[in-house]
Amino acid sequence: MEKIGEKSPLSASLCLHQRQMIRQGIRRILVISGDSRWCQQQALILAQLLPGDWPWIGEAGSAQTKIIPTYAAKTLLGQEKMHAIFDATTAFDIEALAVLAGTLRAGSWLLLLVPKWSHWPMLIDQDSRRWCGQEQAIATPHFIYHFQRQLLADNEVAFWHQGHCPILPLTESRPPRRGIDGMPTSKQQAILDRLMRAESGVWVLMAARGRGKSTLAGMLVTQWPGTCWVTARSKSATQILYQQVTKKAVFWAPDALLIFCRQHEVSQVDWLIIDEAAALPGSLLSALLAYFPRILLITTVQGYEGTGQGFLLKFCATLTHCQYLTLTDPIRWAAHDPLERVLDHALLLNNPSKSKTGDEKREQGSLKIIRIAQNEAWQKSHLLRDFYGLLSNAHYRTTPLDLRRLMDAPGMHFAATLADETLVAAIWLVDEGGLEETLARDVWAGRRRPRGNLVAQSLSAHSGQWLAPILRSRRISRIAVMDKWRRRGIALRMVLAEKQTAQQLDFLSVSFGYTDELSAFWHACGFKLVRIGSHKEASSGCYTAMAILPLSTAAKTLCQSLQQQWVRDRIWLPQWQCYPFPINKIEDRSLNDEDWRELTGFAYAFRPLEASRAALQRLLINSLLPLPALRQYLQQQLPIAEIIIHCHLNGRKALTSCWRQEVQQALLNLDKSRHDVWRKWVME
């Protein structure tokens, strides 16, 4: 291990750099590359040399350092730190890296620990198990090469490779940063003046990290003559906001606040301020807005803090009297900050598609659809930037994690529509299905949940179609068209082109947040709606809908079965009542073979109650047994807590077990021979 003393050249150089960084109001990244143990040792030594907070994010570290797992990185949102360590030697979670960087104040070093530079692209990345759709982690060469190129292209990135001397950037001449005196900037003051005059309404303050959003909210709380309440994902997320508050401002946990509002009068509260609003479910936000005359929602839309673009594209679009505010200039660090710049370039944050709009009057015949090969195309940085930028601007689900997925996950397919070499539309598809029969039956039974196969598994696990994961399909994950090129049939042409390339598959599929407009589009493309989820998504505020475009005979049979089941079950599923499916005029209360299979799967395997609800309702009609736990829940609609008390049970797990036992009794009582046949099928 290289020795670094307090008087070593590196120590002196780092201290000199930091003093200058503080004066200039900037932050920098130091990439430490080598064996995992060596990287961690150097990071610990540097942390001892430079006083600071030094949060360490990663899966490994030292007993001297408190490690924050990458999955817990979001707990740092809304906080400020001096210096930090991010360990990417075995797993590289880029969302956690973005969160950590956003907490660092001016003068900070971010130490990024990575494997040996030349080996890194071909090493297994343990973080890939979250997003690659495979059971085993994979190497991610395309993204790592891209990330390395961005680091090397920036002359203010510092490097320290094992076995070599550190390479620190030349100190550049920058003007000293204007000191922060606690007074609002001119843009902050202009927004504050508007909010102070507000009589009612919803205000949305959006900006990138470090722009002074939370600080401005704290100023509003201090200056407002009346009562302000604050809520956020966690109290720690409001750290910066409360640094500006000079009077008492009550903080509420979001769920507790909603319960309180439903039980008490809150008309005395003038403002509800919701920090990191995009980290909260849309349904919870909508419910809270009804109780307060003035609401300030504070958020970024970069995607790593919660629902990302969904907050802007979906939730805010539903607000009738919403006023948007924004801050562009950084407050916590200087403009052109080296750390922000290199991560923006590498992770494509704050990087909307830069494609030109093209000639909007150009004839459709001039448009061409090109296929994009994953192993070649992303080496062209402009194509990656434009493709990902278009998806980020147009689609509420797109997050930085998708950058990893589109660059390296297996089974990905891409195409784009060009107008004079300008990218105006993009489509992204994912291979699904092809599971072995044994695994497919385990998926249906709830015994296995292999990664990937979103629609194929859902049609089995939630809609009871156990054959769905066996069929080979391709899911449309994203499709987007630039604003000025919409309403020209471009998306329809792209979907039909994908249909032609997928003739060897059984079906195409799509999962989307249900709206009448989207449903009509997919219907025009030939898709059949086959499933509506039971709960609204946090990211869209909509129920999840799934549709398929059958290509093979087997898929057509599957589609017909799903739609027939929907018609038959609709009366028992309230969330389906408003969707465009025919209703059986004569209610079918009998138990058919599909019901017996579903009920036996619930009784003897792990089928969820929500998936079995319609069959369970028909069972209760046909059974003469008391079945108290089931009847109290499904027929009397009593709360879970009351049923547990009535049935003398010990918690939710015991209640679920009781439900399954009651179904076993009912099936045996109805027809033992039929029960035995289906139990054998389920247990095989």
Side-chain angles (χ1 to χ4, degrees):
M1 182 177 74
E2 299 186 34
K3 301 292 184 180
I4 306 174
E6 293 182 3
K7 298 182 180 179
S8 71
L10 176 59
S11 173
S13 183
L14 283 173
C15 292
L16 175 64
H17 270 77
Q18 191 196 5
R19 286 195 295 270
Q20 186 177 52
M21 287 159 58
I22 292 173
R23 285 196 303 271
Q24 297 175 345
I26 63 172
R27 308 163 305 157
R28 283 202 172 100
I29 185 170
L30 169 57
V31 180
I32 302 178
S33 175
D35 294 334
S36 177
R37 181 174 175 79
W38 179 85
C39 291
Q40 292 165 16
Q41 288 173 335
Q42 309 320 306
L44 283 170
I45 293 172
L46 293 177
Q48 293 169 0
L49 287 175
L50 298 176
D53 301 299
W54 290 108
W56 182 313
I57 288 185
E59 305 305 325
S62 163
Q64 304 173 40
T65 307
K66 183 179 180 181
I67 305 302
I68 302 172
T70 53
Y71 65 79
K74 289 178 182 177
T75 61
L76 295 175
L77 287 170
Q79 301 182 43
E80 279 191 320
K81 303 294 182 183
M82 176 61 79
H83 306 309
I85 300 167
F86 190 93
D87 189 344
T89 53
T90 59
F92 193 13
D93 182 341
I94 63 174
E95 292 178 313
L97 176 63
V99 169
L100 182 62
T103 69
L104 296 182
R105 64 172 67 99
S108 292
W109 282 100
L110 173 59
L111 308 186
L112 177 61
L113 316 186
V114 303
K116 289 185 177 179
W117 195 255
S118 60
H119 297 175
W120 189 14
M122 303 314 299
L123 294 179
I124 299 298
D125 183 350
Q126 294 301 325
D127 183 66
S128 65
R129 297 184 72 248
R130 294 191 305 129
W131 49 262
C132 72
Q134 307 289 304
E135 290 300 307
Q136 301 298 321
I138 62 172
T140 59
H142 302 127
F143 175 78
I144 298 303
Y145 279 132
H146 159 78
F147 194 81
Q148 288 180 323
R149 284 197 302 271
Q150 300 305 318
L151 293 176
L152 292 170
D154 195 306
N155 61 10
E156 292 198 77
V157 173
F159 291 94
W160 189 0
H161 297 284
Q162 186 173 3
H164 299 272
C165 294
I167 304 173
L168 299 180
L170 296 175
T171 55
E172 292 195 357
S173 175
R174 293 173 180 263
R177 183 188 180 209
R178 181 178 69 88
I180 299 176
D181 54 10
M183 300 299 293
T185 65
S186 59
K187 291 186 177 180
Q188 284 179 317
Q189 186 63 57
I191 292 175
L192 192 56
D193 290 343
R194 292 180 64 184
L195 297 177
M196 291 295 293
R197 294 193 299 267
E199 295 184 1
S200 64
V202 178
W203 303 75
V204 179
L205 177 55
M206 297 178 295
R209 296 282 165 208
R211 268 57 184 175
K213 304 182 301 295
S214 297
T215 297
L216 189 151
M219 294 174 178
L220 174 63
V221 172
T222 295
Q223 296 184 29
W224 187 262
T227 302
C228 301
W229 281 0
V230 177
T231 188
R233 174 178 176 167
S234 66
K235 182 68 178 291
S236 62
T238 63
Q239 179 189 85
I240 297 174
L241 187 156
Y242 274 101
Q243 287 174 358
Q244 298 295 321
V245 175
T246 59
K247 67 179 185 181
K248 184 176 181 180
V250 177
F251 174 84
W252 287 89
D255 292 337
L257 175 58
L258 182 57
I259 292 172
F260 184 88
C261 289
R262 287 171 172 169
Q263 297 176 352
H264 301 85
E265 177 63 45
V266 293
S267 59
Q268 79 281 6
V269 181
D270 299 315
W271 277 99
L272 175 64
I273 298 171
I274 306 178
D275 208 352
E276 303 294 348
L280 301 180
S283 57
L284 177 58
L285 291 173
S286 296
L288 287 173
L289 299 191
Y291 293 99
F292 300 91
R294 304 171 190 83
I295 301 96
L296 177 61
L297 303 170
I298 309 168
T299 190
T300 69
V301 289
Q302 291 167 311
Y304 57 79
E305 80 293 348
T307 57
Q309 284 286 79
F311 186 78
L312 180 61
L313 298 177
K314 288 290 183 177
F315 178 74
C316 292
T318 67
L319 304 178
T320 55
H321 301 292
C322 180
Q323 301 189 58
Y324 295 93
L325 309 167
T326 188
L327 293 166
T328 56
D329 298 330
I331 302 295
R332 287 196 280 133
W333 48 79
H336 310 296
D337 173 68
L339 176 59
E340 182 175 58
R341 181 181 62 237
V342 72
L343 291 185
D344 280 356
H345 290 166
L347 307 185
L348 302 185
L349 301 171
N350 300 319
N351 188 41
S353 172
K354 293 180 175 58
S355 295
K356 299 177 182 178
T357 57
D359 183 358
E360 298 168 33
K361 297 181 180 179
R362 190 173 295 278
E363 295 296 325
Q364 295 282 39
S366 68
L367 300 175
K368 64 178 180 180
I369 298 175
I370 62 166
R371 302 202 66 78
I372 300 174
Q374 187 184 48
N375 61 343
E376 297 175 1
W378 302 141
Q379 305 307 313
K380 303 174 183 177
S381 60
H382 72 279
L383 182 59
L384 173 64
R385 179 197 65 211
D386 291 346
F387 191 95
Y388 180 75
L390 177 57
L391 294 179
S392 297
N393 289 341
H395 205 287
Y396 65 88
R397 284 179 177 156
T398 305
T399 73
L401 202 62
D402 289 303
L403 186 60
R404 304 295 311 271
R405 189 178 287 115
L406 73 86
M407 294 190 78
D408 285 295
M412 304 290 119
H413 303 269
F414 311 96
T417 295
L418 302 182
D420 277 347
E421 304 308 313
T422 296
L423 191 149
V424 299
I427 189 169
W428 175 3
L429 301 94
V430 182
D431 286 337
E432 295 192 345
L435 273 61
E436 296 292 333
E437 179 178 335
T438 300
L439 178 55
R441 287 174 66 157
D442 282 345
V443 168
W444 172 87
R447 290 187 285 260
R448 298 278 302 276
R449 283 291 182 270
R451 297 175 186 272
N453 301 290
L454 173 67
V455 171
Q457 285 204 68
S458 183
L459 296 182
S460 175
H462 302 115
S463 297
Q465 299 297 318
W466 73 275
L467 286 169
I470 296 177
L471 303 183
R472 296 174 61 241
S473 61
R474 189 167 291 165
R475 173 172 57 87
I476 298 175
S477 174
R478 306 282 192 275
I479 185 168
V481 180
M482 291 187 70
D483 287 343
K484 295 183 179 180
W485 286 87
R486 291 178 184 171
R487 307 293 180 184
R488 302 182 182 205
I490 294 175
L492 175 61
R493 288 176 59 187
M494 296 188 78
V495 172
L496 294 180
E498 293 302 325
K499 176 183 176 182
Q500 292 304 311
T501 64
Q503 290 302 307
Q504 301 304 310
L505 302 176
D506 291 296
F507 62 90
L508 294 179
S509 70
V510 65
S511 173
F512 60 98
Y514 185 93
T515 64
D516 291 339
E517 183 180 17
L518 282 177
S519 180
F521 168 75
W522 291 113
H523 179 75
C525 293
F527 284 74
K528 308 294 183 184
L529 198 60
V530 293
R531 169 169 157 71
I532 295 286
S534 57
H535 299 92
K536 290 185 178 181
E537 284 186 300
S539 57
S540 69
C542 304
Y543 287 105
T544 299
M546 293 183 178
I548 67 173
L549 195 166
L551 301 173
S552 69
T553 301
K556 291 174 182 176
T557 301
L558 170 68
C559 183
Q560 183 179 23
S561 177
L562 283 162
Q563 292 196 313
Q564 288 175 346
Q565 175 185 322
W566 193 337
V567 172
R568 186 167 182 258
D569 292 350
R570 184 174 177 179
I571 190 174
W572 304 111
L573 303 172
Q575 73 273 17
W576 289 6
Q577 300 305 314
C578 59
Y579 295 106
F581 259 73
I583 301 175
N584 268 351
K585 294 183 178 179
I586 301 176
E587 182 184 333
D588 183 359
R589 299 188 172 196
S590 63
L591 294 177
N592 60 21
D593 281 346
E594 286 73 19
D595 288 329
W596 273 89
R597 178 168 55 218
E598 182 66 47
L599 292 167
T600 311
F602 178 80
Y604 291 103
F606 302 96
R607 297 282 299 163
L609 185 140
E610 282 301 319
S612 307
R613 180 183 287 269
L616 289 168
Q617 292 281 17
R618 287 189 284 270
L619 174 66
L620 294 179
I621 292 172
N622 284 273
S623 177
L624 299 177
L625 296 181
L627 311 177
L630 275 172
R631 294 192 190 277
Q632 287 177 30
Y633 184 67
L634 293 174
Q635 292 181 332
Q636 300 173 34
Q637 298 183 1
L638 295 182
I640 294 288
E642 288 188 28
I643 301 172
I644 290 172
I645 294 172
H646 291 167
C647 297
H648 306 289
L649 299 171
N650 186 24
R652 179 64 183 262
K653 287 185 178 180
L655 176 60
T656 300
S657 178
C658 180
W659 284 336
R660 297 192 194 282
Q661 291 171 13
E662 288 186 351
V663 174
Q664 294 172 17
Q665 297 167 10
L667 294 177
L668 276 167
N669 183 263
L670 281 174
D671 189 329
K672 184 178 185 303
S673 60
R674 206 171 181 183
H675 161 276
D676 293 344
V677 168
W678 282 110
R679 182 184 179 188
K680 181 180 178 182
W681 186 90
V682 168
M683 302 301 287
E684 284 180 348

